[in-house]
Amino acid sequence: GIWKTAMSNTPRATLQQNTRLIDFPSLGDVRGQLCALESVSAYVPFDIKRVYYMWDVGADQVRGKHAHYTLKQVLICLGGACEVVVDDGRQRQTVRLNSPLKGLLIDGFIWREMQHFTPGATLMVLASAHYDEADYVRNYDQFLQQANEG
Ligand code: T46
């Protein structure tokens, strides 16, 4: 199919290998908290090309529902909390993000959904590439088929 080209060199992604919770160091002091993240570091293992964030997400809304062929991202909930469901086609896990010092790295062909945002929650995402609709798989059956043939 049309996706073979994009997937042909992509090894099969797994939750164990392609998702990771990362604890960031705080540079806080008596004046308050501060966290600094740099490209290509222990905390963000890729070059950051794009940053986006979402807020005012209703408690009953589910966002995401797609996978990326090549994009690498770190998701950070800056305030409040939300859940990220990650799914490699065989297993599904729910990760709760509730601290600005916690990031969820997703760097493979993993389905993700974001849900249960608390009021006032802001989810920031550091991404390895510019926005590209061609990098998305938005159909779950197509995702399963491609994930399981990888
Ligand atoms: C992801 C999860 C965690 C742009 O034009 N540029 C952008 O950089 C982004 C992220 C989105 N858009 C447009 C595309 C849609 O028309 O903004 C609209 C909303 O985006 P989307 O429905 O894809 O948003 P989410 O929250 O479902 O997914 C986003 C990212 O798109 C995705 O890469 O992994 O957050």
CSV table of all heavy atoms in Angstrom, one decimal, residues 38-67:
chain,number,residue,atom,x,y,z
A,38,GLU,N,16.7,21.2,26.9
A,38,GLU,CA,17.4,21.5,25.7
A,38,GLU,C,17.3,20.4,24.7
A,38,GLU,O,17.2,19.2,25.1
A,38,GLU,CB,18.9,21.8,26.1
A,38,GLU,CG,19.1,22.9,27.0
A,38,GLU,CD,20.5,23.5,27.0
A,38,GLU,OE1,21.3,23.2,26.2
A,38,GLU,OE2,20.7,24.4,27.9
A,39,SER,N,17.4,20.8,23.4
A,39,SER,CA,17.4,19.8,22.3
A,39,SER,C,18.5,18.8,22.5
A,39,SER,O,19.6,19.2,23.0
A,39,SER,CB,17.6,20.5,21.0
A,39,SER,OG,16.5,21.2,20.6
A,40,VAL,N,18.3,17.6,22.0
A,40,VAL,CA,19.4,16.6,22.0
A,40,VAL,C,20.1,16.5,23.3
A,40,VAL,O,21.3,16.7,23.5
A,40,VAL,CB,20.4,16.9,20.9
A,40,VAL,CG1,21.1,15.6,20.5
A,40,VAL,CG2,19.7,17.5,19.6
A,41,SER,N,19.3,16.2,24.4
A,41,SER,CA,19.8,16.0,25.7
A,41,SER,C,19.2,14.8,26.3
A,41,SER,O,18.4,14.1,25.7
A,41,SER,CB,19.4,17.2,26.5
A,41,SER,OG,18.0,17.3,26.7
A,42,ALA,N,19.6,14.5,27.5
A,42,ALA,CA,19.0,13.3,28.2
A,42,ALA,C,17.5,13.4,28.3
A,42,ALA,O,16.8,12.4,28.4
A,42,ALA,CB,19.6,13.2,29.6
A,43,TYR,N,17.0,14.7,28.4
A,43,TYR,CA,15.6,14.9,28.6
A,43,TYR,C,14.8,15.0,27.3
A,43,TYR,O,13.6,14.7,27.3
A,43,TYR,CB,15.4,16.1,29.5
A,43,TYR,CG,16.3,16.0,30.8
A,43,TYR,CD1,17.4,16.8,31.0
A,43,TYR,CD2,16.0,14.9,31.7
A,43,TYR,CE1,18.2,16.7,32.1
A,43,TYR,CE2,16.8,14.8,32.8
A,43,TYR,CZ,17.9,15.6,33.0
A,43,TYR,OH,18.7,15.5,34.1
A,44,VAL,N,15.4,15.5,26.3
A,44,VAL,CA,14.7,15.6,25.0
A,44,VAL,C,15.7,15.1,23.9
A,44,VAL,O,16.5,15.8,23.4
A,44,VAL,CB,14.4,17.1,24.7
A,44,VAL,CG1,13.6,17.2,23.4
A,44,VAL,CG2,13.6,17.7,25.8
A,45,PRO,N,15.6,13.8,23.6
A,45,PRO,CA,16.6,13.2,22.8
A,45,PRO,C,16.3,13.4,21.3
A,45,PRO,O,16.5,12.5,20.5
A,45,PRO,CB,16.4,11.7,23.2
A,45,PRO,CG,15.0,11.5,23.6
A,45,PRO,CD,14.6,12.8,24.2
A,46,PHE,N,16.0,14.6,20.9
A,46,PHE,CA,15.9,15.0,19.5
A,46,PHE,C,16.0,16.5,19.4
A,46,PHE,O,15.9,17.2,20.4
A,46,PHE,CB,14.6,14.4,18.9
A,46,PHE,CG,13.4,14.9,19.6
A,46,PHE,CD1,12.8,16.1,19.5
A,46,PHE,CD2,12.7,14.0,20.5
A,46,PHE,CE1,11.7,16.5,20.2
A,46,PHE,CE2,11.6,14.3,21.2
A,46,PHE,CZ,11.1,15.6,21.1
A,47,ASP,N,16.2,16.9,18.2
A,47,ASP,CA,16.2,18.4,17.9
A,47,ASP,C,14.8,18.9,17.9
A,47,ASP,O,14.0,18.4,17.2
A,47,ASP,CB,16.9,18.6,16.6
A,47,ASP,CG,17.4,20.0,16.4
A,47,ASP,OD1,17.6,20.7,17.4
A,47,ASP,OD2,17.6,20.4,15.2
A,48,ILE,N,14.5,19.9,18.7
A,48,ILE,CA,13.1,20.4,18.8
A,48,ILE,C,12.9,21.4,17.6
A,48,ILE,O,13.6,22.4,17.5
A,48,ILE,CB,12.9,21.2,20.1
A,48,ILE,CG1,13.1,20.3,21.3
A,48,ILE,CG2,11.5,21.8,20.2
A,48,ILE,CD1,13.3,21.0,22.7
A,49,LYS,N,11.9,21.0,16.8
A,49,LYS,CA,11.6,21.9,15.6
A,49,LYS,C,10.3,22.6,15.8
A,49,LYS,O,10.0,23.5,15.1
A,49,LYS,CB,11.4,21.0,14.4
A,49,LYS,CG,12.7,20.3,14.0
A,49,LYS,CD,13.4,21.2,12.9
A,49,LYS,CE,14.7,20.5,12.4
A,49,LYS,NZ,14.4,19.2,11.9
A,50,ARG,N,9.5,22.2,16.8
A,50,ARG,CA,8.1,22.8,17.0
A,50,ARG,C,7.7,22.6,18.4
A,50,ARG,O,8.0,21.6,19.0
A,50,ARG,CB,7.2,22.0,16.0
A,50,ARG,CG,5.7,22.4,16.1
A,50,ARG,CD,5.0,21.9,14.8
A,50,ARG,NE,5.2,20.4,14.7
A,50,ARG,CZ,4.2,19.5,14.9
A,50,ARG,NH1,3.0,19.9,15.2
A,50,ARG,NH2,4.5,18.2,14.8
A,51,VAL,N,6.9,23.6,18.9
A,51,VAL,CA,6.3,23.5,20.2
A,51,VAL,C,4.8,23.8,20.0
A,51,VAL,O,4.5,24.8,19.3
A,51,VAL,CB,6.9,24.4,21.2
A,51,VAL,CG1,6.2,24.4,22.5
A,51,VAL,CG2,8.4,24.1,21.4
A,52,TYR,N,3.9,23.0,20.6
A,52,TYR,CA,2.5,23.4,20.6
A,52,TYR,C,1.9,23.1,21.9
A,52,TYR,O,2.5,22.3,22.7
A,52,TYR,CB,1.8,22.8,19.4
A,52,TYR,CG,1.7,21.3,19.4
A,52,TYR,CD1,0.7,20.6,20.1
A,52,TYR,CD2,2.7,20.6,18.7
A,52,TYR,CE1,0.7,19.2,20.0
A,52,TYR,CE2,2.7,19.2,18.7
A,52,TYR,CZ,1.7,18.5,19.3
A,52,TYR,OH,1.7,17.1,19.3
A,53,TYR,N,0.8,23.7,22.3
A,53,TYR,CA,0.2,23.4,23.5
A,53,TYR,C,-1.3,23.5,23.4
A,53,TYR,O,-1.8,24.2,22.6
A,53,TYR,CB,0.7,24.3,24.7
A,53,TYR,CG,1.0,25.7,24.3
A,53,TYR,CD1,0.1,26.7,24.5
A,53,TYR,CD2,2.3,26.0,23.7
A,53,TYR,CE1,0.3,28.0,24.1
A,53,TYR,CE2,2.5,27.4,23.4
A,53,TYR,CZ,1.6,28.3,23.6
A,53,TYR,OH,1.8,29.6,23.2
A,54,MET,N,-2.0,22.8,24.3
A,54,MET,CA,-3.5,22.8,24.3
A,54,MET,C,-4.0,23.0,25.7
A,54,MET,O,-3.4,22.5,26.6
A,54,MET,CB,-4.0,21.5,23.7
A,54,MET,CG,-3.5,20.2,24.4
A,54,MET,SD,-3.7,18.7,23.4
A,54,MET,CE,-2.4,18.8,22.2
A,55,TRP,N,-5.1,23.7,25.8
A,55,TRP,CA,-5.7,24.0,27.1
A,55,TRP,C,-7.2,24.2,26.8
A,55,TRP,O,-7.6,24.1,25.7
A,55,TRP,CB,-5.0,25.2,27.7
A,55,TRP,CG,-5.3,26.5,27.0
A,55,TRP,CD1,-6.2,27.5,27.4
A,55,TRP,CD2,-4.7,27.0,25.8
A,55,TRP,NE1,-6.2,28.5,26.5
A,55,TRP,CE2,-5.3,28.2,25.5
A,55,TRP,CE3,-3.7,26.5,24.9
A,55,TRP,CZ2,-4.9,29.0,24.4
A,55,TRP,CZ3,-3.4,27.2,23.8
A,55,TRP,CH2,-4.0,28.5,23.6
A,56,ASP,N,-7.9,24.4,27.9
A,56,ASP,CA,-9.4,24.5,27.8
A,56,ASP,C,-9.9,23.3,27.1
A,56,ASP,O,-10.8,23.3,26.2
A,56,ASP,CB,-9.8,25.7,26.9
A,56,ASP,CG,-9.9,27.0,27.7
A,56,ASP,OD1,-9.7,27.0,29.0
A,56,ASP,OD2,-10.1,28.1,27.1
A,57,VAL,N,-9.4,22.1,27.5
A,57,VAL,CA,-9.9,20.9,27.0
A,57,VAL,C,-10.9,20.3,28.0
A,57,VAL,O,-10.6,20.1,29.1
A,57,VAL,CB,-8.7,19.9,26.8
A,57,VAL,CG1,-9.3,18.5,26.2
A,57,VAL,CG2,-7.6,20.4,25.9
A,58,GLY,N,-12.1,20.1,27.5
A,58,GLY,CA,-13.2,19.7,28.4
A,58,GLY,C,-12.9,18.3,29.0
A,58,GLY,O,-12.2,17.5,28.3
A,59,ALA,N,-13.4,18.0,30.2
A,59,ALA,CA,-13.1,16.8,30.9
A,59,ALA,C,-13.5,15.6,30.1
A,59,ALA,O,-13.0,14.5,30.2
A,59,ALA,CB,-13.7,16.8,32.2
A,60,ASP,N,-14.5,15.7,29.2
A,60,ASP,CA,-15.1,14.6,28.5
A,60,ASP,C,-14.5,14.5,27.1
A,60,ASP,O,-15.0,13.7,26.3
A,60,ASP,CB,-16.6,14.7,28.4
A,60,ASP,CG,-17.1,16.1,27.9
A,60,ASP,OD1,-16.2,17.0,27.8
A,60,ASP,OD2,-18.3,16.2,27.6
A,61,GLN,N,-13.6,15.4,26.7
A,61,GLN,CA,-13.0,15.3,25.4
A,61,GLN,C,-11.8,14.4,25.3
A,61,GLN,O,-11.0,14.2,26.2
A,61,GLN,CB,-12.5,16.7,25.0
A,61,GLN,CG,-13.6,17.8,24.9
A,61,GLN,CD,-14.6,17.5,23.8
A,61,GLN,OE1,-14.2,17.0,22.7
A,61,GLN,NE2,-15.8,17.8,24.1
A,62,VAL,N,-11.7,13.7,24.1
A,62,VAL,CA,-10.6,12.8,23.8
A,62,VAL,C,-9.9,13.4,22.6
A,62,VAL,O,-10.5,13.6,21.5
A,62,VAL,CB,-11.0,11.4,23.6
A,62,VAL,CG1,-9.8,10.5,23.3
A,62,VAL,CG2,-11.8,10.9,24.8
A,63,ARG,N,-8.6,13.7,22.7
A,63,ARG,CA,-7.9,14.3,21.6
A,63,ARG,C,-6.9,13.2,21.1
A,63,ARG,O,-6.8,12.2,21.7
A,63,ARG,CB,-7.1,15.5,22.1
A,63,ARG,CG,-8.0,16.6,22.7
A,63,ARG,CD,-7.2,17.9,22.9
A,63,ARG,NE,-6.7,18.4,21.6
A,63,ARG,CZ,-7.1,19.4,20.9
A,63,ARG,NH1,-8.1,20.1,21.4
A,63,ARG,NH2,-6.6,19.7,19.7
A,64,GLY,N,-6.1,13.6,20.1
A,64,GLY,CA,-5.2,12.7,19.5
A,64,GLY,C,-5.9,11.7,18.7
A,64,GLY,O,-6.6,12.0,17.7
A,65,LYS,N,-5.9,10.4,19.0
A,65,LYS,CA,-6.5,9.3,18.2
A,65,LYS,C,-5.7,9.2,16.9
A,65,LYS,O,-6.3,9.3,15.8
A,65,LYS,CB,-8.0,9.5,18.0
A,65,LYS,CG,-8.8,9.3,19.3
A,65,LYS,CD,-10.3,9.6,19.0
A,65,LYS,CE,-11.2,9.1,20.1
A,65,LYS,NZ,-11.4,7.7,20.1
A,66,HIS,N,-4.4,9.2,17.0
A,66,HIS,CA,-3.6,9.0,15.8
A,66,HIS,C,-2.2,8.5,16.2
A,66,HIS,O,-1.9,8.5,17.3
A,66,HIS,CB,-3.5,10.3,15.0
A,66,HIS,CG,-3.2,11.4,15.8
A,66,HIS,ND1,-4.0,12.5,16.0
A,66,HIS,CD2,-2.0,11.7,16.4
A,66,HIS,CE1,-3.4,13.4,16.7
A,66,HIS,NE2,-2.2,12.9,17.0
A,67,ALA,N,-1.5,8.0,15.2
A,67,ALA,CA,-0.1,7.6,15.3
A,67,ALA,C,0.7,8.4,14.3
A,67,ALA,O,0.2,9.0,13.4
A,67,ALA,CB,0.1,6.1,15.1
